[in-house]
Amino acid sequence: MPITLKFSSGRERNTLIMTESTSKSESNSGCFYLTTPIYYVNARPHLGHAYSTIVCDAIARRKRALGIETWFLTGTDEHGQKIERSAKAAGCTPEEFATKVSGEFRGLWDRLGLTYDDFIRTTEPRHVRGVQYLFKTLCDKGYIYKGSYTGQYCVGCEEWIEGPPGTICPIHGIVTETVSEENYFFKLSAFERKLLEFYEANPEFMLPESTRREVVSFVRSGLKDVSVSRSTLSWGVPVPGDEKHVVYVWMDALANYITALGYGSDDDQKFKKFWPADIHLIGKEISRFHCVYWPAFLMAAGIPTPRSVRANGWLLFDQGKMSKSRGNIVRAETVHTVLGSDALRYFLLREIPFGQDGNFSFDALVQRYNGDLANGYGNLVSRVVNMVHKYFGGVVPEAEAGTQAEAALRTNAEAAIAAFGPAFDELNFSDALKSLWLLVAETDGYLTANAPWKKPPERSDAEHAKLQARVLGTAAAAIRVITALAYPIVPDAAAKVWAQLGLGELADAAKHGFLSELAWGGLKAGTKFGEPSPLFPRAEKEAIERMQSLEDENSRSAVESANEREIVAPTSAPAATSVVPVAAATDKNARAAGGTTPTTAAPTNPAKPVATAKVHQVPAALAGSRLSSTPVPADGDSPLVPGATQGVHGPAEAENAAVNEGPKHITIDDFAKVELRVAQILVAERVPKADKLLRLEVDLGTEKRQILAGIAEYYEPEKLIGRKIVIVSNLAPRKMRGLESNGMLLAASLEGGAPVLAGFLEDVPVGARLK
Ligand code: MSP
């Protein structure tokens, strides 16, 4: 039976419906704990990472300003094969590599003024100890057992596939391998009903609704026990008591949310105080780990579950998810350098409805900046502060009772106060800001209508001074309200305005919960204004050019340093590429592995050979990326090319193989066998129950074809319609998920394998052959 728990702190906080497991905890009432995902250190921070962290920072600032004791955690995820491999490519140890990149994340967060309370690294002893403690607790409680499993495995997906030996992976279209391994398994299957009941009792546990639907349907379709250890990898947390295994990277990573609070250590005061988390803010693609695995691990360990998991959408740039593997990143430093971090924060929170994907472009950024910040808020503040200095020596004048116009502005300000909080606390930042900027416009309109700078001849000097006092005092009062509410989003500008209004240090006010008492008034006559200073100087066209050139320069130097690495490492594969085994696909998918029911059958087969594929070690936008024919694998999967070399390769072995064998040539006749044609996409839709697959109908000029492609995670089907692509048109048809695929489309396979469809700059006729 769910228990309703009301918070007694008197502040706005939603009533929470707690399940029994959460309600047992007396902890955390009166405080607020929020977390970002911890970032992989294989890639440098970009705007996509900054987005989640900035959102959390805005939330944390508002909570603190409301007088709520807040703990804001962020950090880096440093274990796993991907990091091990990146370190190797960079010619250093995983520890050195992780330390360097983790430092870049932290340094950037500091430069952006993000107010995290703790930054955890999964390589820190406090974390390692906590993970081991969690693992042992789960063992002691009987939820972890050792088993071995023999089944069909798709290395591209890093997932077990149902079916007998010889089964073809529906995503990659290759024959799965028969793999046996001994691992530790977590009894996830025991939590299917409990999780469904938990979701039912806690409708706000996971949002947005799309995430909730996806997770519920995943659990409803049946949960299998998951592998929570690996024995083929050493860069991880050793399993306590059986150190040839390391803890499954996702269990390791998820545990950061409690290990950072001291879980499993002698000093667990913070854990007692702040846990359970109020918000785990995550990107939408990692919701399954946070909404299924994580609560199940916690329930099994007897630890309260988090109160909510909120998924942000993706920041898109040039039509695709901004990511290193796509090579379409923009760095937060660039915007910070040219327009300041408030501009970036305001843009991200105002422009993108939280939970949805949103486009980033320099044009849109500058447009918002000029419209809302420079010409809107900034200009309003500057007009009022300057007039108070000019007409009243910088002191808030005594004013007579207001007229209807003042009453109306006050009503508007109170409406903004009433609307802003609930919208913001629902993470509906865009609407919250919209309602606040309405007050900016209303205050502007009020000023213009009363024109305190213009004295009509018929008005006496005394009357005019009274009007000026009334109008400027009222406008300044509205600015105070706007500034207080806007503080979590534009903290630097808000601090300047606060000082200009003579209200002192905003940071101090925030420490004292100034927002909890926000009401009209509060800017008393006699208050001495500070000196005016510019807030948001208008951005001209050059600002865009500057940002673009900073990004170009950055890509260039990244490529140059990658090329230098190639020069000093003559043994590596052709420039900008190296050969690594597909088995070592990215962690996101490696982590998705498991999901299988172990048997106690003894291993029958040593691990079968795995295919190899190329991944690129330099920024993808400029690298000579390899084109792969699809079905294209999921994010981070290296593409599997049917018929690719088979062999058991560890990373080192694979690289040596590349060096020793040299490039394999084919003859022109071999190439002529492959018929490549231009096709136009007519229909694109998702395939039910196949997350990664899109069904396309394409026009080849002479005929229409159906093609299945594993690109659903990267391309919105609607956006593909009309697009011209390249397909292998003479491939033998084959069936996937009961549907026939008649051809393969071509895509550049970038580092980590995220596909980018091949296309043309010039217009080309449908059906044209590529030779
Ligand atoms: N290490 C895991 C998370 C473990 S949490 C216990 C991971 N790391 S990540 O570096 O790949 O991604 C971290 C977060 O950054 C994810 O929430 C991801 O969604 C977010 N973003 C990375 N690129 C993004 C965009 N282009 N847009 C928005 N957020 C994206 O996953």
Side-chain angles (χ1 to χ4, degrees):
M1 179 72 181
I3 296 166
T4 306
L5 194 90
K6 282 206 168 48
F7 288 90
S8 53
S9 59
R11 58 183 201 243
E12 280 174 43
R13 183 162 179 169
N14 291 341
T15 299
L16 293 171
I17 309 294
M18 317 283 279
T19 62
E20 208 202 337
S21 76
T22 336
S23 66
K24 273 190 206 132
S25 165
E26 292 281 298
S27 58
N28 174 310
S29 62
C31 5
F32 193 87
Y33 178 36
L34 90 158
T35 65
T36 69
I38 48 171
Y39 303 100
Y40 287 134
V41 290
N42 69 307
R44 309 233 133 79
H46 59 68
L47 218 48
H49 304 122
Y51 179 42
S52 313
T53 322
I54 284 173
V55 168
C56 279
D57 184 68
I59 299 171
R61 283 178 185 267
R62 178 169 157 86
K63 294 292 172 192
R64 293 189 198 110
L66 283 168
I68 300 166
E69 193 174 356
T70 299
W71 198 255
F72 163 22
L73 173 72
T74 187
T76 42
D77 189 353
E78 305 185 6
H79 287 132
Q81 204 143 13
K82 182 155 66 176
I83 314 299
E84 205 175 36
R85 203 190 311 148
S86 301
K88 194 166 177 240
C92 56
T93 65
E95 288 91 339
E96 288 164 346
F97 185 79
T99 299
K100 182 170 182 295
V101 183
S102 174
E104 288 186 23
F105 273 94
R106 192 170 182 156
L108 176 63
W109 298 165
D110 291 341
R111 281 198 297 290
L112 294 177
L114 305 182
T115 58
Y116 58 87
D117 294 289
D118 192 3
F119 186 103
I120 187 153
R121 301 181 51 191
T122 56
T123 45
E124 287 177 71
R126 60 171 174 158
H127 176 73
V128 171
R129 201 173 39 229
V131 170
Q132 291 182 324
Y133 186 79
L134 175 66
F135 197 95
K136 187 163 178 324
T137 304
L138 295 173
C139 288
D140 293 346
K141 292 190 180 267
Y143 286 106
I144 286 187
Y145 60 98
K146 207 170 188 178
S148 65
Y149 181 74
T150 300
Q152 296 313 117
Y153 196 72
C154 171
V155 190
C157 298
E158 290 281 16
E159 252 180 317
W160 302 94
I161 309 286
E162 298 283 346
T167 299
I168 300 212
C169 166
I171 307 297
H172 296 94
I174 56 153
V175 179
T176 53
E177 296 159 29
T178 306
V179 173
S180 289
E181 61 179 46
E182 191 178 59
N183 269 329
Y184 287 93
F185 287 85
F186 172 75
K187 287 187 187 169
L188 187 64
S189 57
F191 290 89
E192 194 176 308
R193 200 178 47 81
K194 283 187 196 143
L195 283 170
L196 289 171
E197 283 169 6
F198 171 68
Y199 303 150
E200 181 79 24
N202 296 274
E204 307 241 307
F205 171 66
M206 47 201 178
L207 286 170
E209 201 43 44
S210 51
T211 298
R212 185 183 162 74
R213 272 199 307 272
E214 192 189 308
V215 169
V216 169
S217 94
F218 173 74
V219 177
R220 278 209 187 112
S221 69
L223 292 181
K224 292 179 176 173
D225 294 352
V226 286
S227 161
V228 285
S229 74
R230 285 284 178 277
S231 51
T232 50
L233 175 78
S234 58
W235 183 234
V237 176
V239 166
D242 193 355
E243 309 219 333
K244 66 175 195 300
H245 292 259
V246 294
V247 175
Y248 175 42
V249 272
W250 265 103
M251 178 180 268
D252 170 350
L254 288 163
N256 90 89
Y257 301 132
I258 52 177
T259 61
L261 295 179
Y263 168 80
S265 78
D266 294 338
D267 179 8
D268 62 355
Q269 287 307 306
K270 280 203 200 78
F271 178 62
K272 289 197 178 115
K273 181 170 187 174
F274 289 106
W275 190 259
D278 290 79
I279 296 181
H280 285 319
L281 194 117
I282 60 160
K284 62 180 180 178
E285 82 282 11
I286 54 176
S287 49
R288 201 178 280 181
F289 298 103
H290 284 81
C291 302
V292 182
Y293 289 19
W294 183 224
F297 293 158
L298 292 168
M299 285 173 182
I303 301 172
T305 45
R307 297 207 167 102
S308 76
V309 175
R310 307 295 298 264
N312 61 252
W314 287 339
L315 214 53
L316 312 175
F317 190 64
D318 287 345
Q319 313 203 334
K321 181 189 177 201
M322 193 182 285
S323 70
K324 182 190 167 205
S325 52
R326 277 180 171 271
N328 62 345
I329 58 162
V330 173
R331 295 161 318 132
E333 288 98 321
T334 295
V335 181
H336 173 63
T337 307
V338 177
L339 296 178
S341 92
D342 280 358
L344 176 61
R345 297 167 70 101
Y346 181 82
F347 177 81
L348 294 174
L349 272 71
R350 171 64 182 84
E351 191 82 8
I352 305 166
F354 184 83
Q356 295 177 25
D357 292 350
N359 276 308
F360 178 85
S361 76
F362 291 129
D363 282 348
L365 169 71
V366 166
Q367 212 172 338
R368 252 297 152 225
Y369 171 88
N370 279 337
D372 294 7
L373 297 177
N375 300 342
Y377 178 52
N379 185 42
L380 171 68
V381 171
S382 148
R383 286 165 85 193
V384 172
V385 172
N386 280 309
M387 281 192 280
V388 170
H389 275 281
K390 182 168 174 193
Y391 302 126
F392 297 100
V395 177
V396 178
E398 204 63 69
E400 287 184 341
T403 65
Q404 240 180 347
E406 282 73 45
L409 192 62
R410 176 184 178 152
T411 306
N412 292 339
E414 285 168 347
I417 296 173
F420 186 89
F424 188 104
D425 295 341
E426 287 292 315
L427 311 197
N428 191 348
F429 310 112
S430 187
D431 281 352
L433 286 170
K434 222 182 276 173
S435 64
L436 191 55
W437 253 251
L438 188 63
L439 182 60
V440 171
E442 285 158 350
T443 310
D444 245 340
Y446 163 80
L447 266 185
T448 308
N450 292 285
W453 56 87
K454 197 168 80 195
K455 185 176 103 52
E458 68 277 13
R459 192 185 293 157
S460 73
D461 286 350
E463 277 307 306
H464 187 60
K466 275 188 207 164
L467 177 136
Q468 283 179 320
R470 206 177 63 231
V471 172
L472 292 175
T474 307
I479 290 175
R480 173 181 161 274
V481 168
I482 294 163
T483 304
L485 292 173
Y487 155 72
I489 294 114
V490 287
D492 293 347
K496 281 192 194 166
V497 177
W498 211 245
Q500 287 178 39
L501 293 181
L503 293 169
E505 282 280 332
L506 188 55
D508 288 345
K511 274 188 210 131
H512 297 108
F514 79 113
L515 259 189
S516 60
E517 287 146 21
L518 183 65
W520 185 255
L523 188 60
K524 303 284 175 260
T527 306
K528 177 95 184 79
F529 270 20
E531 283 310 305
S533 71
L535 292 178
F536 298 106
R538 227 190 114 75
E540 304 303 335
K541 217 171 81 235
E542 294 77 64
I544 299 182
E545 288 161 8
R546 216 172 138 218
M547 286 188 278
Q548 266 156 353
S549 79
L550 281 174
E551 282 307 300
D552 291 348
E553 209 168 289
N554 179 57
S555 318
R556 248 197 321 276
S557 58
V559 169
E560 273 158 21
S561 67
N563 287 341
E564 273 161 28
R565 274 209 303 280
E566 292 297 328
I567 294 162
V568 295
T571 50
S572 56
T577 67
S578 71
V579 176
V580 296
V582 171
T586 68
D587 284 345
K588 224 168 255 186
N589 291 291
R591 286 170 179 205
T596 182
T597 311
T599 66
T600 48
T604 49
N605 264 331
K608 274 259 182 94
V610 293
T612 62
K614 290 192 176 190
V615 290
H616 300 274
Q617 306 282 349
V618 296
L622 297 166
S625 308
R626 173 170 172 161
L627 279 177
S628 71
S629 47
T630 52
V632 184
D635 189 6
D637 293 341
S638 304
L640 294 179
V641 183
T645 327
Q646 302 280 306
V648 184
H649 296 309
E653 221 182 316
E655 271 164 24
N656 288 340
V659 175
N660 297 337
E661 286 169 31
K664 285 225 167 79
H665 293 123
I666 59 167
T667 65
I668 191 77
D669 291 337
D670 290 332
F671 176 66
K673 286 183 198 154
V674 183
E675 199 178 284
L676 300 171
R677 287 194 184 275
V678 177
Q680 186 163 33
I681 301 178
L682 304 173
V683 175
E685 55 187 27
R686 295 182 190 280
V687 176
K689 294 193 184 149
D691 291 354
K692 296 167 185 167
L693 219 50
L694 287 187
R695 189 185 78 81
L696 308 175
E697 275 174 40
V698 300
D699 185 1
L700 266 181
T702 47
E703 59 171 307
K704 302 220 167 38
R705 295 268 189 100
Q706 171 171 286
I707 293 183
L708 298 171
I711 55 171
E713 287 177 310
Y714 304 97
Y715 287 95
E716 294 294 327
E718 314 72 84
K719 295 201 180 131
L720 285 174
I721 293 166
R723 192 158 164 169
K724 286 185 182 160
I725 54 171
V726 179
I727 69 163
V728 182
S729 55
N730 61 342
L731 200 75
R734 68 162 180 265
K735 277 207 160 167
M736 296 182 208
R737 299 270 156 142
L739 298 168
E740 189 169 89
S741 185
N742 246 306
M744 276 185 175
L745 55 80
L746 288 191
S749 136
L750 307 180
E751 184 184 9
V756 177
L757 294 179
F760 300 89
L761 286 177
E762 290 82 8
D763 199 17
V764 280
V766 165
R769 177 140 189 215
L770 280 81
K771 291 180 188 165

